[in-house]
Amino acid sequence: MKHLTILALFLAATALSALAAESSLEKKFVSGGTIRIHLESGGYTIRPTDSPNIVVTYRANSEHQLDHVKVEIEPNPATSTADVYVRDTPNNNFSATIEVPRRSNLRVRLTAGQLTVDAVEGDKDLEINAGQMQVDVSHPEQYGHRDASVLTGAIQAPAFNVSKGGLFRSFEQTGPGKFRLHAHIMTGEINLR
């Protein structure tokens, strides 16, 4: 019985700390615009929604860590662009989900960590200094120019029938679509699936 009580207290404390260490920011935007996303170290997922808004939901180990994170969304309706900044992230277990309008062009720069980009419809210009990148390319025919490169690491691109690993690996193709895809990592792995 004593072990069950300790387990229940541990689970309750874990649930409370998980709930306490999350925050979000939301701003209105427009479908079809360009979003420039500037990210410091962490794990990020960019996912499409049918909402015209940009929403950043971010999580850390504690409220103290979360309080130091700076998140800004700066839309510019005149040019149909927005800048999203996530700065001063903690060194461990920081993650964020960035929801964008389904039809958006993305330009993402991440210092280090993991980037997952779900099926956002539009151009993608994605770069990471060190880490892993996974991009949902469920319709490869939608892309015209597509290229990917790593200085050290691997490119797994089953969507484009490419698999390469080692030093200075890259590929470049031209397809029938109107969107452009550029993916680059200095050290790490790119997966275009």
Side-chain angles (χ1 to χ4, degrees):
M1 185 69 171
K2 181 178 177 182
H3 294 295
L4 288 176
T5 303
I6 292 171
L7 178 61
L9 288 173
F10 173 76
L11 292 174
T14 302
L16 285 175
S17 68
L19 291 174
E22 181 175 289
S23 188
S24 66
L25 180 66
E26 179 173 354
K27 292 277 179 88
K28 291 188 182 298
F29 191 55
V30 292
S31 181
T34 297
I35 305 170
R36 296 178 297 254
I37 304 174
H38 317 269
L39 306 171
E40 288 188 3
S41 299
Y44 296 89
T45 299
I46 300 174
R47 89 173 31 130
T49 68
D50 293 325
S51 165
N53 298 341
I54 298 172
V55 181
V56 179
T57 303
Y58 52 106
R59 295 162 288 284
N61 281 341
S62 67
E63 281 292 332
H64 176 72
Q65 286 183 337
L66 205 65
D67 288 344
H68 288 84
V69 177
K70 293 179 181 62
V71 176
E72 298 172 67
I73 303 172
E74 300 174 355
N76 184 340
T79 60
S80 297
T81 61
D83 283 284
V84 176
Y85 298 91
V86 180
R87 300 183 180 115
D88 299 334
T89 58
N91 292 329
N92 59 343
N93 296 327
F94 177 80
S95 64
T97 301
I98 303 169
E99 296 175 297
V100 300
R102 185 168 307 284
R103 294 186 180 197
S104 296
N105 297 317
L106 300 176
R107 180 188 183 277
V108 182
R109 297 297 182 265
L110 169 59
T111 56
Q114 182 166 355
L115 175 65
T116 300
V117 180
D118 290 341
V120 177
E121 297 174 16
D123 294 338
K124 294 174 185 71
D125 181 349
L126 315 169
E127 295 189 6
I128 302 175
N129 291 340
Q132 291 183 314
M133 178 189 305
Q134 294 184 12
V135 183
D136 183 343
V137 186
S138 45
H139 298 286
E141 71 280 359
Q142 291 182 338
Y143 294 92
H145 181 86
R146 55 257 189 146
D147 69 86
S149 60
V150 295
L151 294 182
T152 304
I155 300 170
Q156 300 300 325
F160 304 114
N161 298 312
V162 174
S163 178
K164 297 182 175 197
L167 298 173
F168 305 106
R169 298 299 181 203
S170 66
F171 82 90
E172 187 172 355
Q173 297 177 348
T174 302
K178 64 180 180 177
F179 299 134
R180 180 180 184 276
L181 172 63
H182 165 74
H184 174 73
I185 293 181
M186 291 179 68
T187 302
E189 183 177 328
I190 296 172
N191 187 350
L192 307 175
R193 51 186 165 79

